[in-house]
Amino acid sequence: MKLRKVTLFASTALVLSLAATACGSSDKDDSGSSSGGGSKIKIGIKFDQPGLGLKQPDGTYAGFDVDVATYVAGQLGYKPAQIEWVETKSADRENALARGDVKFIAATYSINDERKKKVDFAGPYLLAHQDLLVKKDSTIAKATDLNGKNLCSVTGSTSAQNIHDTIAPKANLRENAGYSECIAALQSGAVDAVTTDDSILAGFAAQDKFKGQFKLAGLKLSNENYGIGVKKGDSATVGKINTALEKMVSSGAWQTAVTKNFGPADYKNEPAPKIGNIVK
C-alpha cells in the first residue's frame, strides 16, 4: 500500500513538472524564430563598420543598418530592448541564417544571384556604388587617375581587383586586413585612395576624428543593392520586412537615418530603391 502511494505521488509530481516546463517555454523566443511578440529577436549586423553597423565602446550599437533593423523589428512587434545584436561577418552570413542563429541580417548584404541560391532577401533598402575615398585636396577625379598611384582596400576585395585589373592596371594595390588600416594609411599619405562601397567609405569619413579630411570621388563603379537576408524559404518574414521597409521610406524615417549616419561625409545617396524589386 505504501509503495502504491509513493508511485502515485511520483507520477503526479512528474506530470506537474512537465506541465510547468511546457508553460514556461511557450512565451519565450530565444532563437529569434518568432515573427513577433517573443521575448527577444536576434539580428545579424556588422560590428566594425562606422555609419552602418558599429559596436561602440559603451556597448551600444549605431549605424544605418542598425537603424533600419531596429525599425523593422519594431514593425514586427519588438522593442529595442528586445533586440539581441549578433555579429555576422561576411563569410558567415549564409551559415548564420541556415543555422537559425539570427532571424534576419542587415549587414551591407549585397544581393546577387549566387547568394539568392542560399538565402532569401527582403528589400533592397539601399543602393550603394563602388567609389573612392581620397583626401579633401586630392586631384583624383576618375578611376583611371589611379594609374601610378597607391590604392588600398581589404585583402581579397572585389572592389580593388575591379579597379586594378580592368580600370587602372598601373595602380599600386595595397591590401590590408581591414578598412580601418586603409583609412589610417590614407590619412598618413601612405596611399592616395581607398576603394569599396561608397556607403562604407562615407561611414568612416563621417567619424568625428576624420571630419573635413576626406571626400568621396563620386564615382559609380558598380551597383550594390543592400538587402535584408532571411533564411531560405521564409517567405512570410520576407513579406513582413518588405512591408516594414515600405513604411520606413514613406514615413521619412529612412531618409532621416541616411542623413544622420552619412551626412557628415557629404554622401550623395541614391533615392530609396523600390522595395521588393530584388535585382542583382
Side-chain angles (χ1 to χ4, degrees), residues 1-2 5 13 54 69 97 111 133 157 169 175 187 195 219 257 271:
M1 194 71 172
K2 288 182 179 180
K5 286 183 178 180
L54 181 69
L97 287 169
I111 301 168
L133 188 70
S157 167
E175 294 181 289
Q187 186 181 36
T195 187
L219 309 182

Side-chain angles (χ1 to χ4, degrees), residues 171-223:
N172 303 312
L173 177 60
R174 170 175 171 174
E175 294 181 289
N176 284 329
Y179 288 112
S180 294
E181 292 91 334
C182 283
I183 301 298
L186 179 61
Q187 186 181 36
S188 69
V191 300
D192 301 293
V194 179
T195 187
T196 186
D197 296 354
D198 53 7
S199 58
I200 297 174
L201 296 173
F204 276 102
Q207 290 183 290
D208 287 338
K209 60 184 177 181
F210 296 133
K211 281 182 180 177
Q213 297 185 43
F214 307 130
K215 65 180 180 181
L216 291 165
L219 309 182
K220 297 181 179 180
L221 302 174
S222 71
N223 292 330

